[in-house]
Amino acid sequence: MSEKPHILRTPAVVLRSIDYGETSRIVTLFTQERGRMSVMAKGARSSRSRFGSTLEPLSHMEAVVFCRSGRELQMLTETSHIDVWRDLSGSLEKIETGYRLLEMTNALMHQEEAHPAVYSLLVTALTALNAAEARAGNLWPWFQLRLAGLLGFGPAFDGDTVKQMDTEYGMLDLSSGVIAAHGQAELQAGRRATRRALRAFAVLSRAALRDAMNMHMDPMTSAEVTSLVAAYITWHVESAYPTRTARVFAQLAG
């Protein structure tokens, strides 16, 4: 028996928003109640739109959606702001990090599959990014590793092994997250990295958000950790790993 039409009222973060027709928008939401949803916002581009600025990516709002079973696009009827993260546009680093969080969530979460813990992670990360006065880029690797844990493929290294590493380089097993001293063990998918980067990888995968934001990494270590995390996540999700935002901001920087 098909589900009866109903009204869904749920907190949501706007992941994407694209123009449709002359006055409407198709909006991708990540909702607390139903996970990722695609909705139609009729009249959203009209000068008299009732949606205001709530449909822009990085908006955190309450959505009221008219749902019918079998529809790919549900109908968005009302919205209201929950938080207004005004400082997210304070720097290119914050903007890029925010958009990468959205892009990763959109890429890895299934349509209309609720995952309240991921929703909470995304809102927590964006709230921290809005408030960050320094080291906003630390959020990107931290978020990816936390998301990996929630989705069932978080790193499984031994903390004592990481602390006791006395070689300049070590190895990360991309398949499991196991960290070993260079040459210590045969790994299924080994990735060579400096001891500093491996220790930072380990800390970010288990640290509370406040501690992750307080970590100081020199630019070279930060870049290596970012690459290491990307390699680890890509090994697990393969071509689903999104790169468009990184390419766009690289072009802007260039």
Side-chain angles (χ1 to χ4, degrees), residues 180-198:
H182 187 54
Q184 184 182 60
E186 290 295 326
L187 303 180
Q188 181 178 340
R191 170 78 177 248
R192 186 172 182 264
T194 64
R195 179 174 56 193
R196 288 194 305 274
L198 289 169

Side-chain angles (χ1 to χ4, degrees), residues 154-230:
F157 59 85
D158 177 69
D160 289 337
T161 299
V162 179
K163 291 177 183 177
Q164 295 168 9
M165 282 183 63
D166 57 3
T167 56
E168 185 178 353
Y169 289 90
M171 300 290 288
L172 173 69
D173 190 335
L174 300 180
S175 67
S176 64
V178 168
I179 295 173
H182 187 54
Q184 184 182 60
E186 290 295 326
L187 303 180
Q188 181 178 340
R191 170 78 177 248
R192 186 172 182 264
T194 64
R195 179 174 56 193
R196 288 194 305 274
L198 289 169
R199 286 179 172 173
F201 178 96
V203 170
L204 287 168
S205 67
R206 296 195 178 171
L209 177 56
R210 180 188 301 177
D211 296 332
M213 294 301 292
N214 287 331
M215 279 183 63
H216 175 74
M217 293 183 284
D218 61 76
M220 187 174 295
T221 301
S222 179
E224 187 180 6
V225 170
T226 298
S227 176
L228 201 60
V229 172

Side-chain angles (χ1 to χ4, degrees), residues 2-221:
S2 62
E3 183 180 317
K4 292 182 179 180
H6 65 281
I7 300 295
L8 172 69
R9 186 182 295 271
T10 178
V13 174
V14 178
L15 302 180
R16 295 181 65 200
S17 184
I18 60 174
D19 294 343
Y20 180 81
E22 294 185 359
T23 62
S24 300
R25 281 187 174 182
I26 295 174
V27 184
T28 304
L29 305 175
F30 192 66
T31 71
Q32 186 177 55
E33 302 297 328
R34 294 273 285 269
R36 182 162 61 88
M37 293 184 69
S38 297
V39 298
M40 173 71 75
K42 288 189 173 180
R45 296 161 59 205
S46 164
S47 60
R48 297 181 179 180
S49 170
R50 62 189 179 278
F51 299 113
S53 62
T54 59
L55 303 186
E56 298 302 318
L58 296 172
S59 294
H60 185 209
M61 50 87 152
E62 183 172 70
V64 180
V65 185
F66 180 72
C67 300
R68 282 186 182 274
S69 179
R71 275 186 178 175
E72 289 188 12
L73 281 176
Q74 305 297 352
M75 194 64 62
L76 186 66
T77 60
E78 295 178 39
T79 58
S80 58
H81 285 291
I82 294 175
D83 292 309
V84 180
W85 291 315
R86 299 187 189 281
D87 292 336
L88 283 181
S89 59
S91 68
L92 273 179
E93 182 182 36
K94 282 191 174 187
I95 296 170
E96 178 180 3
T97 301
Y99 272 82
R100 294 187 82 168
L101 301 185
L102 299 185
E103 186 182 40
M104 180 65 74
T105 303
N106 188 50
L108 298 191
M109 302 308 297
H110 298 299
Q111 189 80 353
E112 299 207 22
E113 183 176 296
H115 205 314
V118 174
Y119 172 82
S120 179
L121 173 66
L122 179 61
V123 171
T124 298
L126 290 172
T127 301
L129 182 61
N130 181 66
E133 297 180 357
R135 295 185 284 277
N138 286 11
L139 260 169
W140 174 229
W142 179 86
F143 176 84
Q144 292 179 85
L145 291 169
R146 282 305 175 97
L147 182 59
L150 291 176
L151 297 182
F153 58 92
F157 59 85
D158 177 69
D160 289 337
T161 299
V162 179
K163 291 177 183 177
Q164 295 168 9
M165 282 183 63
D166 57 3
T167 56
E168 185 178 353
Y169 289 90
M171 300 290 288
L172 173 69
D173 190 335
L174 300 180
S175 67
S176 64
V178 168
I179 295 173
H182 187 54
Q184 184 182 60
E186 290 295 326
L187 303 180
Q188 181 178 340
R191 170 78 177 248
R192 186 172 182 264
T194 64
R195 179 174 56 193
R196 288 194 305 274
L198 289 169
R199 286 179 172 173
F201 178 96
V203 170
L204 287 168
S205 67
R206 296 195 178 171
L209 177 56
R210 180 188 301 177
D211 296 332
M213 294 301 292
N214 287 331
M215 279 183 63
H216 175 74
M217 293 183 284
D218 61 76
M220 187 174 295
T221 301

